[in-house]
């Protein structure tokens, strides 16, 4: 019995690894809607990153200390580590439970294709600004460690402003709530935390994350005018409608009251909170600490 169970677990782990690798490869094979040259250079109109040791830099320093304090919360620290895995599969994993459908290449091909092409487009809005400013990352500036030490050498020479992870998370979150507006509260609350994970992990200053959210919002506006995007979005919405039979609130976090008049409470990962849940939760559009 134990031998059979070990065999089953091994098979599951292999399949999960295959699915994750497949999603990563699919993302690379996506067709971007824009190149960086097709989009505005955000460095031309967003305020430049704060000069180190300037008065304005105190904001980034304060948030950097805040991020290090968040690491004391093991659950939040682990979330930051998980969020650091860049790519479409991470997006599916963190937003899928709130979206209302299990997003896979086989079960939701139109939504998957749209997410695939948008995911490989998000760097286009940040790449020129990164190269233009080449801002030092926090761990490089302070010569300290991060929550993801194995990636420190790789990213040490890359510009910090704006955050590419945040751009990916924010853009794809906007995409998913465009398909299922009922999931807006939960997905956007999680998208916000996705960006904050970069501060907590020690890879970005707060203003890197703030700028990335603005950049991602601009990118999503630009996507609205792309004909190929419009066509694929129509297919994705139709697929979602057919798969959910019009019930767009399946698994979607909501702050509506229940029949008993009590507010629904959700964790930051978008799951309904239980009586045993502790930590930060979402209640009536607000994040509160649940003891």
């Amino acid at each position: 019995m134990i031998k059979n169970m070990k065999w089953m677990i091994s098979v599951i782990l292999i399949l999960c690894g295959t699915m994750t690798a497949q999603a990563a490869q699919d993302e690379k094979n996506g067709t971007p809607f824009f190149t960086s040259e097709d989009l505005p250079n955000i460095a031309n109109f967003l305020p430049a990153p704060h000069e180190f040791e300037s008065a304005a830099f105190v904001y980034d320093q304060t948030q950097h200390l805040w991020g290090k304090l968040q690491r004391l919360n093991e659950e939040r620290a682990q979330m930051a580590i998980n969020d650091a895995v860049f790519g479409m599969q991470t997006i599916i994993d963190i937003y899928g439970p709130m979206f209302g459908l299990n997003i896979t290449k086989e079960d939701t091909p139109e939504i998957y294709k749209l997410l695939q092409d948008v995911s490989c487009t998000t760097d286009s809005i940040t790449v020129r600004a990164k190269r233009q400013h080449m801002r030092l990352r926090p761990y490089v500036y302070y010569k300290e460690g991060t929550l993801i030490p194995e990636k420190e050498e790789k990213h040490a020479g890359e510009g910090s402003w704006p955050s590419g992870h945040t751009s990916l998370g924010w853009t794809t979150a906007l995409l998913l709530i465009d398909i299922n507006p009922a999931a807006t509260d939960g997905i956007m609350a999680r998208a916000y935390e996705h960006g904050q994970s970069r501060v907590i992990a020690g890879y970005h200053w707060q203003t890197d994350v703030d700028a990335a959210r603005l950049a991602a919002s601009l990118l999503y506006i630009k996507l609205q005018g792309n004909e190929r995007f419009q066509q694929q979005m129509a297919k994705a919405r139709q697929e979602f409608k057919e798969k959910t039979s019009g019930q767009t609130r399946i698994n979607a976090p909501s702050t509506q009251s229940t029949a008993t008049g009590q507010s629904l409470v959700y964790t930051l990962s978008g799951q309904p909170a239980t009586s045993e849940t502790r930590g930060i939760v979402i209640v009536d559009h607000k994040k509160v600490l649940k003891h």
Side-chain angles (χ1 to χ4, degrees):
M1 180 68 179
I2 294 177
K3 184 177 181 181
N4 289 338
M5 185 176 294
K6 288 182 177 179
W7 177 83
M8 291 176 64
I9 292 174
S10 298
V11 171
I12 291 172
L13 290 174
I14 292 172
L15 288 174
C16 288
T18 302
M19 290 171 63
T20 299
Q22 181 64 52
Q25 186 61 41
D26 285 344
E27 182 187 338
K28 292 179 181 178
N29 292 336
T31 305
F33 290 101
F34 301 113
T35 65
S36 58
E37 289 72 25
D38 296 327
L39 296 167
N41 181 359
I42 63 171
N44 291 337
F45 52 85
L46 288 184
H50 299 321
E51 293 288 340
F52 293 131
E53 305 310 325
S54 66
F57 182 55
V58 172
Y59 170 63
D60 275 329
Q61 290 179 306
T62 301
Q63 285 299 101
H64 180 65
L65 292 174
W66 167 85
K68 293 172 77 169
L69 286 174
Q70 302 312 301
R71 300 179 195 177
L72 299 178
N73 181 323
E74 292 184 7
E75 182 179 357
R76 187 62 185 89
Q78 187 59 53
M79 180 189 289
I81 294 171
N82 295 341
D83 287 353
V85 181
F86 189 89
M88 190 171 76
Q89 187 58 47
T90 298
I91 297 302
I92 292 174
D93 290 343
I94 66 178
Y95 297 141
M98 293 166 276
F99 177 62
L101 278 179
N102 182 31
I103 303 173
T104 67
K105 188 175 183 178
E106 294 72 28
D107 296 336
T108 57
E110 303 298 350
I111 295 173
Y112 191 93
K113 172 61 176 171
L114 182 59
L115 185 60
Q116 174 186 9
D117 290 349
V118 169
S119 292
C120 69
T121 305
T122 58
D123 272 350
S124 300
I125 196 68
T126 62
V127 63
R128 284 195 288 176
K130 278 179 173 287
R131 291 172 181 168
Q132 182 169 327
H133 288 287
M134 287 302 295
R135 190 186 199 191
L136 291 179
R137 292 175 182 269
Y139 70 91
V140 177
Y141 180 79
Y142 286 117
K143 297 181 175 60
E144 62 185 15
T146 70
L147 284 180
I148 308 98
E150 66 273 16
K151 296 291 185 179
E152 290 171 7
E153 183 177 357
K154 175 184 177 182
H155 294 296
E158 298 177 358
S160 178
W161 185 94
S163 164
H165 281 72
T166 303
S167 176
L168 171 67
W170 199 260
T171 306
T172 49
L174 291 174
L175 169 70
L176 294 176
I177 66 171
D178 207 354
I179 298 172
N180 180 15
T184 296
D185 290 350
I187 287 180
M188 293 313 297
R190 185 62 177 86
Y192 179 83
E193 294 300 330
H194 191 190
Q196 294 307 106
S197 285
R198 301 306 287 161
V199 178
I200 295 170
Y203 274 77
H204 282 284
W205 305 103
Q206 183 66 58
T207 48
D208 299 342
V209 172
D210 297 343
R213 291 179 181 131
L214 292 173
S217 298
L218 172 61
L219 172 60
Y220 200 70
I221 290 173
K222 299 295 287 185
L223 282 169
Q224 307 306 304
N226 183 282
E227 185 175 356
R228 178 163 65 89
F229 175 85
Q230 294 172 356
Q231 293 172 351
Q232 190 60 37
M233 172 59 84
K235 294 177 182 178
R237 284 173 173 158
Q238 182 60 32
E239 181 175 74
F240 183 84
K241 182 178 180 180
E242 292 173 356
K243 290 286 184 178
T244 59
S245 300
Q247 302 301 312
T248 58
R249 289 193 178 274
I250 295 179
N251 293 335
S254 167
T255 51
Q256 288 186 330
S257 297
T258 63
T260 61
Q262 296 179 327
S263 296
L264 296 178
V265 182
Y266 289 86
T267 66
L268 289 179
S269 62
Q271 300 300 314
T274 67
S275 58
E276 288 77 30
T277 300
R278 298 292 182 270
I280 299 174
V281 295
I282 303 169
V283 183
D284 294 334
H285 300 271
K286 298 177 182 179
K287 285 180 283 187
V288 300
L289 182 62
K290 189 172 184 291
H291 297 288

